[in-house]
Amino acid sequence: MRLFCLLFMFFSMLATNAQELTIGASAPKLLVTDQDGESFDLGESLSSGTTVVFFYPMASTPGCTKQACSLSEGYLELQSMGVEVIGVSGDSAAKQRKFQDKYSLPFTLIADTNLRVNEAFGKKRYKRQAYIFNDGKLVWRDLSAATGNQFTDIITALAGLDLVPLSN
């Protein structure tokens, strides 16, 4: 059974029909489901200001927890810079809610159970990635996002993009 699961994950990683989002691309316009089972307009959320969207394979696993907690620990600094954060995984809304509650994650988590968000970003399901959008356009992407260093990577990217004033 374990071998079957590993093979399924491997072949799922290979399958995607969409092209990767490239720098300058418009934000995907999708209505999705958040951790509360509510409709969330991703396109609207990404249309103005600066927003980080990070993908993690599975809620409450060690690497994904490190990645989300890294952004959670730096969330107040990001907020002071006017930056929003959105997390995405293929987990159900209930699992996303449990993950959010367990680790006190202060940002929206999208339950991408049908993998529409993954497909819109042209990414493979079990790949950890991060993106920065500014006023509806993709301005930065990390196609091999870090786990515990995700916040540091985002701050470094924001500094290089010169989009928002950095706090001291």
Side-chain angles (χ1 to χ4, degrees):
M1 181 65 173
R2 185 178 184 113
L3 177 61
F4 172 77
C5 289
L6 290 172
L7 287 172
F8 176 77
M9 286 174 60
F10 174 75
F11 287 110
S12 294
M13 287 172 51
L14 298 176
T16 183
N17 297 328
Q19 293 289 345
E20 288 181 351
L21 282 185
T22 57
I23 302 300
S26 295
K29 301 199 181 333
L30 296 170
L31 284 176
V32 296
T33 303
D34 70 11
Q35 72 281 347
D36 297 319
E38 300 292 326
S39 182
F40 181 84
D41 190 334
L42 182 62
E44 178 66 27
S45 180
L46 300 177
S47 69
S48 64
T50 304
T51 305
V52 171
V53 178
F54 73 100
F55 286 84
Y56 52 99
M58 192 177 300
S60 295
T61 57
C64 298
T65 299
K66 285 179 187 176
Q67 182 185 17
C69 287
S70 171
L71 287 165
S72 179
E73 290 164 7
Y75 186 71
L76 289 179
E77 184 173 345
L78 290 169
Q79 285 281 278
S80 75
M81 297 163 55
V83 177
E84 296 297 327
V85 177
I86 299 169
V88 183
S89 80
D91 294 302
S92 68
K95 191 164 181 186
Q96 295 284 48
R97 166 47 74 193
K98 186 176 178 181
F99 184 48
Q100 187 180 52
D101 289 346
K102 182 175 182 178
Y103 295 101
S104 301
L105 303 175
F107 37 76
T108 298
L109 300 178
I110 294 174
D112 190 29
T113 56
N114 58 11
L115 304 180
R116 287 178 43 234
V117 181
N118 274 264
E119 188 171 316
F121 278 71
K123 70 170 290 300
K124 294 170 179 66
R125 180 175 183 178
Y126 292 103
K127 200 91 163 114
R128 187 174 281 110
Q129 297 180 345
Y131 301 81
I132 298 175
F133 288 88
N134 190 62
D135 294 334
K137 297 290 182 189
L138 180 64
V139 296
W140 179 85
R141 66 185 190 160
D142 179 355
L143 302 181
S144 299
T147 52
N149 296 326
Q150 186 72 87
F151 170 73
T152 304
D153 293 347
I154 294 296
I155 289 295
T156 301
L158 290 168
L161 292 168
D162 198 30
L163 298 175
V164 293
L166 295 176
S167 60
N168 292 324

